[in-house]
Amino acid sequence: MRAFVAIDVPEAVKDALGRAQETLRATGADLKPVGRDGMHLTLAFLGEVPDGVVERLGACLDEAVRAFPFFAVPVREVGFFGSPGSPRVVWAGLQAAGTTLAGLQAAVGSAVQACAGPDWSWQPEARAFVPHLTLARVRSARNAAALVAACDKLKDRAFGDMPVERVTLFRSDLRPDGPHHSVVHVAALAATKRVGPA
């Protein structure tokens, strides 16, 4: 199965991000907005995973994340990857996404690597982890200036807090209307009192 490990986004934050997407669409830019089902913080994209590996992946994730306490990350601002003349991806930022979130992402990567064997192997991406929630992909430079201006107006917008209490192994099925995600395994962080933004 095609799979990835991610942190889900609460419905209230998805609602707020949906309103930001409406502002972006109103610019007339050539966008492919991400649906509600696709709003998550990816910690590790795994690609194709054999069925026999899935069970041990779940066990590895359980072991890796249980040392982390619950925490929350504010979702704030809108920005883009690419140049102002040719933006490629529009995103919502995760503010104060410091050592706890980076440590969790690294622990997940190490756990996935630990599940490697003769039947499957995985290597983390070489590029640095940049926590963000993708709002839309930009298909062309049409109305790019208006899109960049809209991002600038949303740069201080607060969308709510994203609690981090679990990480989820998702299956991703590619369909004509876009990818559909289903939960395969949930690994809970330590059941302690939630700490503040990290």
Side-chain angles (χ1 to χ4, degrees), residues 92-189:
L94 299 177
Q95 296 296 298
T99 56
T100 305
L101 184 57
L104 180 63
Q105 189 266 345
V108 165
S110 296
V112 173
Q113 280 188 297
C115 285
D119 52 348
W120 183 71
S121 63
W122 179 84
Q123 290 294 324
E125 291 188 53
R127 61 186 177 183
F129 176 56
V130 181
H132 67 279
L133 303 174
T134 300
L135 296 179
R137 292 174 175 83
V138 186
R139 293 179 288 204
S140 75
R142 187 184 76 203
N143 290 344
L147 178 62
V148 169
C151 291
D152 189 57
K153 288 180 181 178
L154 294 168
K155 69 179 180 180
D156 295 321
R157 181 75 56 86
F159 301 104
D161 287 347
M162 184 178 76
V164 183
E165 300 177 353
R166 62 188 63 84
V167 300
T168 304
L169 175 61
F170 285 99
R171 174 180 180 140
S172 180
D173 293 305
L174 299 179
R175 301 179 185 175
D177 60 338
H180 286 248
H181 305 139
S182 53
V183 174
V184 175
H185 182 83
V186 175
L189 275 63

Side-chain angles (χ1 to χ4, degrees), residues 18-28 147 150-151 153-154 157:
R19 291 190 287 274
Q21 287 176 318
E22 291 172 7
T23 299
L24 299 172
R25 276 194 291 260
T27 65
L147 178 62
C151 291
K153 288 180 181 178
L154 294 168
R157 181 75 56 86

Side-chain angles (χ1 to χ4, degrees), residues 48-70:
E48 297 294 333
V49 179
D51 291 341
V53 177
V54 173
E55 185 173 344
R56 72 174 189 259
L57 264 176
C60 288
L61 290 172
D62 287 339
E63 181 66 25
V65 308
R66 66 170 52 118
F68 289 84
F70 293 174

